Each structure stands twice: as structure tokens, then as C-alpha cells.
Amino acid sequence: MYALRPSFSVSSRLNPPSFLRIHPILYYFFSSSSSYSSSSSSSSSHTQSSASNAIVVQYLIDTFQLSPARAASIMRSRRGLQSTEKPQSVYKYLSDLGFSDAHIRSAIRLAPQIAFSSIEKTLKPKIEFFQNLGLVGSDLGKLMSRHSPLLTVSLEKKLMPSVEILKNILSKDKCNDDLLLFMRRYSNLLIRSTYKMLSTNINYLQSCGIVDSQFFMLLKRQSSRFGRSESGVKDIVSMVVETGLSTNTKMFIHGLHVISSVSNATLKKKVELICSFGITEKECMRMFTSTPFLLRTSIGKLKHGLEFFMNEAKVSKSDIVRKPTCLMHAMQRRVLPRHRVLQIVKSKRLTMDHPKLIPTLGMSDGDFLDRFVYRFPDNMKDLLVAFRGNSVGALQPKELATSRWGSK
């Protein structure tokens, strides 16, 4: 039996309010719904039961660093419990598995019912299930410290069938590395969704042409989508198809990811913004089908990009529609420096051709500098200043030394 301490103490990190800094027995009485109108014999029996119950409350506070309020709240549904034997045995069991004290405390704080679970009937079968997947010792402790509700769901009805479905998708994942990565990041899908819903949605997406190698990308980026109703998933697929993306194209899965992560209202605003610059809705959809992630670009960035390319850089609408990735590049770090350099190259007629801005945006910095800066040593300083946006300073010698043109 865990000895009741004469004075109440708790870690300074918890720092409970002053009105909670009282002995757990008194706190339990104050928070209890019991009434003094009970008979004296009933009151005496209740007091003895509450006193024993308060011992468990104190154990939860000291061992798992729960706040007095949380510990008392947990014990209200366990008023018949008068011994710390079960939580003590759970603590020892997890510790023997290689869980650190921090792992155990975090696991219990997330799912307090674990402390009162049967080791043989409830915890051990699930722990062995995760161990067979390759999680042992501290690795298992880390997972459970963050996702301990996994130990509260049915092994036979939820965990085993759901994991089996995921393993079928990740058929090339022989060591379960991808599976365990998914479980660490998206345990909520296993906790909240039924395996039947998971299976139904996967079967439907497979019928749309999505292959196993693409499913893991969807699981990583949009795991919650697999927990939706079948009708919800079908609605998203229909929206993607309506944009012009065919289910048998490689871009379909990217379109599915984008459409499912952007609200209808936001999607409408972005389309309206693009069309306000003279681009038709049909052309806008063509931009999306070639570059689905365009619609994840913020409205502010889209507006700034369209204004710059069409009004200042004088890029044609057809070029923007053909290469919409130009609207996704960083304006200050990539677009403006290259635009300034090209303006000098054109104004000084340093080359016979007429270089366009958009094709240069896909170049690396090194390739761009070699082609439009280092190639012209007589104008190199001005070009570097334009590219850097400030004084060349001490950067010029280093850049000259590493360039192909400067070394000749």
C-alpha cells in the first residue's frame, strides 16, 4: 500500500493555484458531489472510502505528476478503488519494458485509463503487437509517450485490421519503416477511424487509378482524408475531375491533395483573382492541371506575382498560363534579382538574343550567374550588384574564383 504523506507537495512545474494546494483528502472532499445531508453511518462509511480513494489520488499526483484537479477528476469514476496496486503494477510493467519515467508520465497524462488497465488482458497483447512490428524499448516508449491512446482501442477490432490494410498498401516496406513512420505521425487515424472506412476509401481511390506507391504520399500529406465518409472522398475526387485532371494522369494525386486541403471558399477566391487579370476560367483550370500546387499559393502571393509579371515585367498572359510555376517562386530571393540582371543585359545589349525572365527562374543560381553575369567581365560588377541588390563588397573575388568565366 502506498503510504499517505502527511504533507502535500508537488513539482513546482505544475504550480497549481493556491486554493488547490491542500491535502488531497480535503481537495477530494471539496470537489466531491457528496452532501452533508447523508446519515451519519453513511457519512462515516463514505469518509473511510474517500480517505482510501484519496491515497490513490495522491499516488497519481506524485508518480505521474498529474495536477490535483486532474487526479481527483479521474478518481471520481473509480470511487470503489482503494488501492494503488494496479497503477503501481502498470508503472512497473512499462518501466520493465524500457519506458523512461518521462515516457510513462506522458503516456498516463494522455490516457489515464491505462494506469487502471489489466496488464495481461489489455496492455500486454497490444504491447506485443507493436513489438512484433519492430518497436521495442525506448522506441516503443517514445511512441506511447505521445500516442498512448493507441493502447485504449480494441486490438482485434481496430488496430490489427487497420495496420494490416496499411501493410498491404506498403507492400515494399519489408522492415515496416514506413508503417512505423506513419504510426508515429498519424496515430489519430488508427484511433478514430474504423478499419472498414479506411478499407472502403482505399478501395475507391484504387478504382480511380491511384497505385500503392502513391498511397503513402497521400497518407503522409492527407491522412485525415482516409477517415472521411466514402461520400466525402467521392466529392473531392469529383471536384478534381471537374478541374480537368484525369484520374489516369500522374498529376491527379497532386490535384487530390491540393483540393482536399483548400476550402471551397478559398479556392473560389483564388480562381476569381487569377481571372481578374484577364485569364479565362478555362485557362485558369489549365494552369491548375499542369501545376496543381499553384492553388496552395497564398492569395497575397498570387496577386503580387500577377501584378509584377503582367504589369512590370511585361510577361504575356500566354506565357504565364503556359508556365504558372513562375507565380510560386520567391519574389525577393529569385524573381526580382534575375529580372534586374536581365534588364541590364538587355539595355546594354550584351547578348544578341532577347532573354526572357520566366525560363531563367528554373535555373540554379550558379547556372544563372554563369550565363548572365560572369560571362560579361566588363559589366560584371554592375550585374552582381543588380543580382545581390546591394554593394558587391567582398563577395566579388570569391564569386570570380568559382565561376567558369572568371577562371579563363
Side-chain angles (χ1 to χ4, degrees), residues 50-95:
S50 296
S52 299
N53 194 275
I55 293 175
V56 186
V57 172
Q58 182 68 54
Y59 181 83
L60 296 179
I61 294 169
D62 289 346
T63 305
F64 303 117
Q65 295 186 357
L66 299 176
S67 70
R70 182 86 188 281
S73 175
I74 292 169
M75 292 307 299
R76 287 196 191 102
S77 60
R78 297 176 174 82
R79 295 201 176 188
L81 185 63
Q82 302 178 27
S83 169
T84 62
E85 181 179 353
K86 184 161 283 188
Q88 279 183 308
S89 62
V90 168
Y91 188 95
K92 184 179 185 303
Y93 171 67
L94 296 178
S95 181

Side-chain angles (χ1 to χ4, degrees), residues 26 126 145 179 211 233 249 289 307 340 355 368 380 383:
L26 295 179
K126 295 172 187 175
S145 69
L179 173 64
V211 297
V233 174
T249 63
T289 55
E307 288 175 342
R340 290 192 296 263
F368 180 83
M380 192 182 305
L383 292 170

Side-chain angles (χ1 to χ4, degrees), residues 317-335:
K317 182 186 73 170
S318 60
D319 283 345
I320 294 176
V321 172
R322 188 163 45 248
K323 200 71 174 178
T325 50
C326 65
L327 300 174
M328 300 169 62
H329 288 295
M331 189 64 68
Q332 296 297 328
R333 293 196 306 270
R334 181 168 292 252
V335 178

Side-chain angles (χ1 to χ4, degrees), residues 237-248:
V237 170
S238 296
M239 289 176 64
V240 177
V241 172
E242 286 173 5
T243 66
L245 269 174
S246 173
T247 57
N248 59 8

